[in-house]
Amino acid sequence: MEAGKAYNYEVNGYDYELDTTDGSIDGYEENDDESYDEFHECYGDFDTTIVMYHGREYSCSVDDLGEFVWIDSEEMYYHESDVDRCPWCGEWFVKDDGHESELTGNCYCSEGCKEKAEDCYISENKQIELKAA
Ligand SMILES: [Zn+2]
């Protein structure tokens, strides 16, 4: 009885310590249940994903990705102000990674698209020159 009591007490004490620790972690987890959307600076009950905005990563609610575009090649959401649509193939690409053509004045998703667009531009201009001549 005496030993059992001591044992129980010890176990209780140990459990209690665990509970205390868990309790404080639970306390934080209650806050974590409220996800933080860094981009919109708000807490809420939503799942978050990583988005890129002006070269920085932010967490963002998956329910609030209206301003973001999924970029296949990067496997990441980018802000619409950081991306452009390739005028040749129509794919979204990150502006910083764009291939700018001095010839057409446009920016393309890849070197391949740029070359094709330039070829097209050159042959079109030849036709215009021929017609003009
Ligand atoms: Zn393209």
Side-chain angles (χ1 to χ4, degrees), residues 11-23:
V11 168
N12 282 343
Y14 187 64
D15 282 349
Y16 183 69
E17 267 181 29
L18 265 186
D19 282 343
T20 308
T21 310
D22 283 346

Side-chain angles (χ1 to χ4, degrees), residues 77-124:
Y77 283 101
Y78 277 76
H79 193 258
E80 58 189 3
S81 66
D82 292 332
V83 296
D84 233 332
R85 212 164 195 161
C86 177
W88 185 258
C89 70
E91 286 289 320
W92 288 99
F93 65 97
V94 182
K95 276 183 192 173
D96 285 348
D97 298 337
H99 297 255
E100 207 172 334
S101 166
E102 286 175 18
L103 195 61
T104 69
N106 288 324
C107 207
Y108 302 89
C109 74
S110 67
E111 197 62 32
C113 282
K114 184 185 125 179
E115 280 170 14
K116 283 175 201 158
E118 284 182 342
D119 286 348
C120 186
Y121 181 87
I122 290 164
S123 65
E124 269 178 14

Side-chain angles (χ1 to χ4, degrees), residues 21-35 43-45:
T21 310
D22 283 346
S24 69
I25 289 170
D26 280 342
Y28 286 118
E29 273 176 0
E30 266 170 41
N31 286 336
D32 282 352
D33 282 347
E34 292 251 293
S35 302
Y43 289 95
D45 185 15

Side-chain angles (χ1 to χ4, degrees), residues 44-71:
D45 185 15
F46 44 66
D47 289 327
T48 59
T49 187
I50 298 297
V51 297
M52 286 295 275
Y53 176 65
H54 291 4
R56 248 203 75 185
E57 289 185 9
Y58 295 84
S59 64
C60 180
S61 164
V62 295
D63 301 327
D64 212 354
L65 288 168
E67 296 165 65
F68 293 91
V69 179
W70 177 257
I71 303 295

